[in-house]
Amino acid sequence: MNARSVHSATDAAAFVEARNISHIKLGIVDLDGVLRGKYVSKAKFFSALENGLGFCDVVLGWDVEDRCYDNVGLTGWHTGFPDAQVRIIPESCRSIPFEPGTAFFLCEFADPTSAICPRGVLGRVLAQASKQGLKAFAAFEYEFFMFEETPHSVREKGYRNLRPWTPGSFGYSVLRSSTESDFYHLLMTTCEQMDIPLEGLHTETGPGVLEACITVDEGIAVADKAALFKTFSKALAQRNGLMATFMAKWSEEEAGQGGHIHISLKNESGVPVFFDATKSHSMSDTMRHFIGGQQALMPELMAMVGSTVNSYSRLVPGLWAPTSANWAVDNRTTALRAIHGSAKSQRVEYRVAAADANPYLALAAALASGLWGIENRVEPDAPIVGNAYDSSLQASRRLPSTLWEAAQWLKGSSIAREMFGDAFVDHYAASREWEERQFRKHVTDWELARYLEII
């Protein structure tokens, strides 16, 4: 039995026993999409398969620097950060190529903490799709910058004057991928071995930037693969003297980094529902309404897609990122790109998402809004023709310009509360307010250069 043949607790136990694995690595994704975890003994793992295990709920109550939120309700100093019940997901079993003798499993929080667990949030959206007789298929594509740096060197440099892995802008470069082919092949092979197969890998435009397209999959497995890709590609880079970053925009000179999501739907019989050869661009009514829902709710759900202060630095005209909730057919200047193809390939690309987004929450937002559009037969605006940056839309299509504004829109959205639950909306919005407040405490280099002498 190999790791990807594990589908049940019985299989998981048999796999660990057959491989004589003494310690198992467990991981769980926090609100920011960061994979947290620990090793457990074989005896502890067998017990947890049957009974679950306790995991400190601070994982959902602190930020990326392990600073505890002061304004959330479900976990915090006021609760004492107790253990919450967590279940192991047997079918997530993977072998890690550079950790022989170790098995890896994802976990998720069980009730009642599942109300704010990112994987649980997406699971409930997928359950709603099932109620509508639909199955969701998706694929993530990530842009990420690579540096000839280490976690120590970037700190010693104060995150300035970093050395990119390769110089200059050279998109789709065969020269770069041939010169650095050792790492390209290492990344592709590692992803294949961990069942995170890449459909494509190439240089993007910018110094040291790559784009990886993860192969399409169904349901929650899509977000699992995205979360694992972000963690293990960074680990692989660091093991080879490099660093990868998925932050939305690391330099004011360079374009931001997208985390675009391609989505399609099938009915219970496995028939694609976005394709209708009798319609313009083969776009079915279902696909049109799906886009209508995504467009209508994008401003309200932006905090789930742009989850950091930095996310909003990416959304500027002319740098390959959308600036309003618009759509078009095969147009990369819009937030939603309808891709015309065969019944198999017809899909929507949710381009507003950045590489820094939590994949579970970004997919939940993109999918839930589309399902809402189908259910309510929401008509989108007329598609953009030409350069979307030159087009003006009604005020309701404007995207929030800061994380604080996005958190207020989410908090005030009755539709978001209906789709994701009050517990999640209140907890998550409060965590984004915290994130914005941490930023406001700091004096930036720009402020010093502009005001210190002259004001």
Side-chain angles (χ1 to χ4, degrees):
M1 176 188 294
N2 72 36
R4 300 307 291 141
S5 298
V6 172
H7 297 296
S8 67
T10 301
D11 290 344
F15 176 80
V16 168
E17 199 69 80
R19 299 293 181 95
N20 195 29
I21 297 171
S22 63
H23 287 80
I24 295 86
K25 182 179 281 188
L26 304 180
I28 194 163
V29 175
D30 70 11
L31 289 181
D32 285 290
V34 177
L35 187 61
R36 308 278 186 164
K38 59 183 176 181
Y39 292 98
V40 297
S41 68
K42 181 164 69 173
K44 178 71 172 177
F45 176 73
F46 285 166
S47 172
L49 279 174
E50 184 176 345
N51 305 309
L53 74 156
F55 206 111
C56 181
D57 72 0
V58 75
V59 170
L60 298 176
W62 63 14
D63 65 16
V64 293
E65 291 187 328
D66 296 0
R67 295 179 180 174
C68 298
Y69 303 131
D70 61 4
N71 58 342
V72 294
L74 294 187
T75 180
W77 296 111
H78 62 293
T79 67
F81 296 112
D83 277 352
Q85 192 72 1
V86 160
R87 77 173 190 92
I88 294 171
I89 303 158
E91 61 271 24
S92 71
C93 179
R94 282 168 169 84
S95 296
I96 303 173
F98 50 79
E99 282 195 62
T102 300
F104 174 85
F105 290 82
L106 283 167
C107 303
E108 68 180 3
F109 284 98
D111 291 336
T113 315
S114 66
I116 59 173
C117 174
R119 198 174 191 275
V121 171
L122 177 57
R124 292 193 296 276
V125 173
L126 291 167
Q128 178 58 41
S130 183
K131 287 181 182 178
Q132 292 178 228
L134 298 168
K135 298 177 181 179
F137 292 78
F140 282 80
E141 59 180 42
Y142 281 117
E143 296 161 352
F144 55 105
F145 277 84
M146 301 275 291
F147 301 95
E148 290 184 350
E149 300 286 353
T150 70
H152 291 293
S153 70
V154 293
R155 286 165 171 80
E156 290 163 1
K157 290 182 173 184
Y159 302 94
R160 299 291 178 184
N161 302 313
L162 304 183
R163 182 179 175 85
W165 183 34
T166 55
S169 294
F170 200 172
Y172 301 102
S173 170
V174 173
L175 175 60
R176 294 280 188 258
S177 62
S178 300
T179 305
E180 305 293 347
S181 61
D182 287 352
F183 184 78
Y184 277 77
H185 282 280
L186 180 62
L187 178 59
M188 291 185 290
T189 301
T190 300
C191 287
E192 196 75 34
Q193 292 171 335
M194 294 186 69
D195 190 25
I196 317 169
L198 301 184
E199 186 177 88
L201 178 65
H202 62 87
T203 62
E204 258 291 353
T205 183
V209 64
L210 297 178
E211 179 176 301
C213 303
I214 303 172
T215 303
V216 65
D217 205 341
E218 180 182 356
I220 209 159
V222 178
D224 287 343
K225 291 180 178 182
L228 293 174
F229 175 78
K230 290 176 71 174
T231 294
F232 286 100
S233 61
K234 286 191 287 188
L236 200 64
Q238 291 188 27
R239 290 174 64 90
N240 287 272
L242 302 168
M243 274 195 71
T245 182
F246 289 80
M247 71 181 292
K249 192 167 170 62
W250 77 272
S251 166
E252 64 184 48
E253 285 87 23
E254 305 300 335
Q257 302 185 99
H260 305 162
I261 313 170
H262 293 251
I263 305 176
S264 63
L265 300 175
K266 294 181 181 180
N267 63 23
E268 292 172 323
S269 301
V271 178
V273 299
F274 279 178
F275 183 83
D276 185 341
T278 69
K279 302 282 187 178
S280 176
H281 304 293
S282 301
M283 187 185 299
S284 68
D285 292 343
T286 298
M287 182 176 180
R288 192 177 70 254
H289 294 147
F290 188 85
I291 291 172
Q294 288 185 315
Q295 180 183 34
L297 297 186
M298 189 180 291
E300 296 177 39
L301 304 185
M302 192 64 197
M304 297 172 66
V305 177
S307 55
T308 72
V309 171
N310 183 250
S311 303
Y312 298 83
S313 298
R314 167 179 167 264
L315 304 179
V316 294
L319 287 179
W320 300 99
T323 53
S324 60
N326 48 26
W327 79 282
V329 177
D330 201 10
N331 186 327
R332 286 182 169 86
T333 67
T334 56
L336 298 167
R337 174 184 168 225
I339 299 175
H340 173 223
S342 65
K344 181 181 178 181
S345 62
Q346 185 101 350
R347 63 196 186 275
V348 179
E349 182 183 10
Y350 196 84
R351 292 181 55 81
V352 72
D356 64 351
N358 182 318
Y360 296 100
L361 298 184
L363 181 55
L367 181 58
S369 55
L371 294 173
W372 177 83
I374 293 171
E375 188 173 20
N376 293 280
R377 302 183 66 82
V378 178
E379 293 291 342
D381 298 340
I384 297 291
V385 176
N387 187 353
Y389 300 123
D390 292 335
S391 302
S392 59
L393 290 177
Q394 55 192 9
S396 62
R397 303 307 191 207
R398 182 183 67 83
L399 296 177
S401 57
T402 66
L403 181 58
W404 183 271
E405 184 183 2
Q408 306 317 301
W409 282 37
L410 178 66
K411 195 161 59 171
S413 171
S414 59
I415 298 174
R417 291 180 179 278
E418 181 181 333
M419 293 190 298
F420 308 118
D422 288 332
F424 169 76
V425 170
D426 288 336
H427 186 92
Y428 184 73
S431 75
R432 298 310 95 186
E433 290 174 341
W434 160 275
E435 190 74 11
E436 177 87 13
R437 283 190 283 115
Q438 303 321 295
F439 171 72
R440 290 184 188 181
K441 293 178 182 178
H442 291 276
V443 178
T444 66
D445 291 348
W446 184 90
E447 290 170 283
L448 289 172
R450 190 172 183 87
Y451 303 130
L452 183 66
E453 177 194 2
I454 298 171
I455 293 296

